[in-house]
Amino acid sequence: MRGFSHFPRPTAAGLLVSALASMTLLSSTIQKAEALGQMVPYTGVYCQGFIDYNVWIPDGTNVTMIEAAAGLESLMALPDPCQSAMLAYGCSVAFPRPVTTGLTGQTNSYNVLFACKSTCETAIQTCQADVAFLQSHGVIPQNMTVLPDCSTPIPGTGAYPGGPFPYQPDPSCNYIPPQSTNITCSQPMTECPSPFVVDTVFQATKGLQNADNANCGCGCCLPCPQTDAFYKPGILDKGFFITDILKGISAGLALILVISYLLLPDKLQHPSNLILFAAISTCIFSAAVALSYGDPKRVQCATHQPIPTTAIVTSTSYNNNLCLAQGGWLIFGAIATTAWLSLVIVNLHLHTVWNSSWLARRAWLSHTIGWIIPAAFAAIAVVTKSIGWNNSNMCMATQDTSNALLFIPLGVIMVPSILLHIATFAHIIRITLQSEKSETVSHSTLSSGRAARISHRRHVLNAIRIQWRAAVLALVISGSILVYWAFYLVEGSKTDMSWMSTWQLCIFTGGSQEECGDKYASGHMPNFILMMIAEGLVSTTGIWIFLLFFKQSLIQEWNEMISGWACFGGRKREKEADQFYVI
């Protein structure tokens, strides 16, 4: 969670009021000055990190006077990102930017750039929720105007020739971008309301250092994993515990099917071996949960950090080797599972629609797609240290690399496969309808073309009778992967943190975690129900493969092998050439 910094205390009502109303004070000092001014270095305190230029001030004033009149110190009581947005606005208003005119023969000739309208609008957009919250809780009077009015002249510009001036358009203005200030807060916290915990590093260094700048401020931290704080207490742990159990069951059942296919006869030939490899990849994907099962924080939180920061800092490839291993494991398993199930779909289409065994003659292509390509993406993620914890209970590709290393490969593999599966079913439906309408005619009276069409219909209907398990598997699993892919592509990529400061205010004014989460985090964090649906669907992949393909014939073959009744040589019945996934 980024952009997390400062927390105002409920007792700082007067400080908050002066902070939000401070910009109205600028004109009281500046407008009394002479019309002309001078360019001086910025020597103030509160615009450090915002101002990197020599500032223009009216004659008769100095940087300290202007900074005090603007009330910039009071802005330290605001939480980020409101604090940084208001500082960017306040600094751009209080300290215009002079630029040389560059006219030949003229020295000390400057144009003065005043505050941008966009900076004013950003301050309003960023802080209006915080202001509304503070007004609703009586910290700020309801009738008090505390945010700037971007339609009025810029405060203080009446002191300049031709002024006052309106807020200026981009890029002909004094643009100062908002940024996280990370300035030592004015009132460090001595007690931290739940879900926050005390920052012992902050206490030990007397406010000079945070345990983690991204998740701590003013003596309080959001513990790892930070996303837990924005939902009902404990609900993520319970939900992911259920999906972890499903993954464990899925891995176990897939492993049983893998062993069966490896040991029992006639299971290593095409196309049955496609199911074998799909089961192996599913077992690998589901078994990745083993590294975090029972204690997700082993991979969610840092381990290569000094205690007590390990309870605060989230995992990356650099601070948790277990997270790095699980992320690579998960990327390989997810892409491999998707690839082998897609090969099942392709082979189903070729056999049903075209009566072709094209894929059977190109085993090298299947293994390249199913194993080598997934291994390449996993290796890239591990070597480039592009793995970390994001939102779930497992490590995967980092948010800025997840599209390139996981979701785009999944989409490139799965989306065409789903379209091909739809085409296969459309062909099946068409052939089925034609078969129902056809009349019984002696083959002797048929033309060769019509006889071929009838033969193809019989082939398709017979293929579906034999292949329905593969068809159902492809439909269910491809749908599950598509839901998973779509969820994390849409819900998991939410990066808007403008609500964060209001959520902090809610917590620090006595609101409960559940209440504040429902009011301010809901809609900005991944939806819990959708998250559980997406995780639950992909967690049952091995269960589906087992239910569809561990049928009675497998049990009988196991009985024959164990009891010594298995028949070889002359008693071994050859399978029909057209059989497909009959096990």
Side-chain angles (χ1 to χ4, degrees), residues 44-174:
V45 176
Y46 302 103
C47 294
Q48 293 285 348
F50 288 88
I51 291 180
D52 58 358
Y53 56 89
N54 290 330
V55 299
W56 188 265
I57 62 173
D59 291 332
T61 64
N62 58 46
V63 170
T64 303
M65 292 172 58
I66 294 176
E67 201 161 68
L72 297 181
E73 179 183 6
S74 301
L75 295 177
M76 297 301 102
L78 293 171
D80 262 342
C82 176
Q83 181 191 109
S84 59
M86 286 296 290
L87 275 173
Y89 164 75
C91 293
S92 67
V93 169
F95 299 105
R97 183 195 302 260
V99 293
T100 56
T101 60
L103 296 177
T104 303
Q106 293 188 13
T107 58
N108 298 326
S109 178
Y110 302 97
N111 285 330
V112 178
L113 301 181
F114 298 104
C116 304
K117 187 172 184 179
S118 62
T119 305
C120 179
E121 292 172 343
T122 298
I124 295 174
Q125 293 169 0
T126 306
C127 294
Q128 60 185 354
D130 293 347
V131 172
F133 177 88
L134 294 168
Q135 288 180 327
S136 67
H137 285 71
V139 178
I140 298 175
Q142 290 283 351
N143 59 353
M144 182 178 181
T145 302
V146 294
L147 294 176
D149 184 352
C150 303
S151 63
T152 60
I154 303 172
T157 56
Y160 298 94
F165 298 100
Y167 290 95
Q168 302 296 295
D170 294 337
S172 58
C173 60
N174 182 23

Side-chain angles (χ1 to χ4, degrees), residues 402-403 407-408 483-494:
S402 60
N403 284 338
F407 295 121
I408 289 178
V483 169
Y484 178 85
W485 175 70
F487 172 79
Y488 279 100
L489 199 64
V490 177
E491 291 286 314
S493 62
K494 291 180 176 179

Side-chain angles (χ1 to χ4, degrees), residues 322-399:
L322 204 62
C323 176
L324 179 65
Q326 186 181 62
W329 187 344
L330 189 67
I331 290 172
F332 173 76
I335 299 178
T337 299
T338 305
W340 282 110
L341 290 172
S342 296
L343 290 170
V344 171
I345 293 175
V346 171
N347 197 67
L348 179 65
H349 177 83
L350 292 173
H351 181 79
T352 303
V353 178
W354 305 105
N355 193 20
S356 170
S357 57
W358 183 87
L359 200 60
R361 298 189 298 270
R362 292 165 176 81
W364 63 269
L365 179 60
S366 298
H367 288 287
T368 299
I369 296 173
W371 300 125
I372 297 178
I373 291 178
F377 278 100
I380 292 172
V382 172
V383 170
T384 60
K385 303 289 188 179
S386 300
I387 291 173
W389 173 81
N390 293 322
N391 289 318
S392 69
N393 64 330
M394 297 174 67
C395 286
M396 56 182 292
T398 56
Q399 192 160 348

Side-chain angles (χ1 to χ4, degrees), residues 118-404:
S118 62
T119 305
C120 179
E121 292 172 343
T122 298
I124 295 174
Q125 293 169 0
T126 306
C127 294
Q128 60 185 354
D130 293 347
V131 172
F133 177 88
L134 294 168
Q135 288 180 327
S136 67
H137 285 71
V139 178
I140 298 175
Q142 290 283 351
N143 59 353
M144 182 178 181
T145 302
V146 294
L147 294 176
D149 184 352
C150 303
S151 63
T152 60
I154 303 172
T157 56
Y160 298 94
F165 298 100
Y167 290 95
Q168 302 296 295
D170 294 337
S172 58
C173 60
N174 182 23
Y175 178 70
I176 297 179
Q179 53 189 294
S180 182
T181 59
N182 201 31
I183 297 174
T184 303
C185 55
S186 55
Q187 294 191 355
M189 301 294 296
T190 56
E191 295 182 3
C192 301
S194 178
F196 293 95
V197 296
V198 174
D199 185 352
T200 54
V201 174
F202 184 90
Q203 290 183 339
T205 60
K206 297 182 179 180
L208 297 179
Q209 184 179 348
N210 297 319
D212 179 39
N213 289 335
N215 300 300
C216 302
C218 293
C220 293
C221 297
L222 268 183
C224 173
Q226 281 73 34
T227 51
D228 286 4
F230 309 124
Y231 297 89
K232 182 179 178 180
I235 193 170
L236 285 183
D237 289 338
K238 295 176 182 177
F240 284 128
F241 180 69
I242 294 173
T243 60
D244 285 353
I245 292 176
L246 290 176
K247 287 186 177 75
I249 295 173
S250 186
L253 294 178
L255 182 60
I256 292 174
L257 195 63
V258 168
I259 294 173
S260 299
Y261 268 59
L262 290 174
L263 298 182
L264 296 177
D266 301 322
K267 300 297 185 295
L268 300 180
Q269 300 175 3
H270 183 87
S272 295
N273 58 1
L274 294 179
I275 293 298
L276 168 62
F277 298 134
I280 292 174
S281 59
T282 298
C283 184
I284 293 172
F285 170 67
S286 300
V289 74
L291 297 181
S292 57
Y293 188 80
D295 184 13
K297 290 186 178 181
R298 288 203 302 265
V299 299
Q300 292 172 325
C301 306
T303 57
H304 299 169
Q305 294 286 328
I307 297 175
T309 58
T310 52
I312 307 299
V313 181
T314 54
S315 289
T316 67
S317 298
Y318 298 93
N319 61 28
N320 192 329
N321 290 335
L322 204 62
C323 176
L324 179 65
Q326 186 181 62
W329 187 344
L330 189 67
I331 290 172
F332 173 76
I335 299 178
T337 299
T338 305
W340 282 110
L341 290 172
S342 296
L343 290 170
V344 171
I345 293 175
V346 171
N347 197 67
L348 179 65
H349 177 83
L350 292 173
H351 181 79
T352 303
V353 178
W354 305 105
N355 193 20
S356 170
S357 57
W358 183 87
L359 200 60
R361 298 189 298 270
R362 292 165 176 81
W364 63 269
L365 179 60
S366 298
H367 288 287
T368 299
I369 296 173
W371 300 125
I372 297 178
I373 291 178
F377 278 100
I380 292 172
V382 172
V383 170
T384 60
K385 303 289 188 179
S386 300
I387 291 173
W389 173 81
N390 293 322
N391 289 318
S392 69
N393 64 330
M394 297 174 67
C395 286
M396 56 182 292
T398 56
Q399 192 160 348
D400 57 338
T401 63
S402 60
N403 284 338

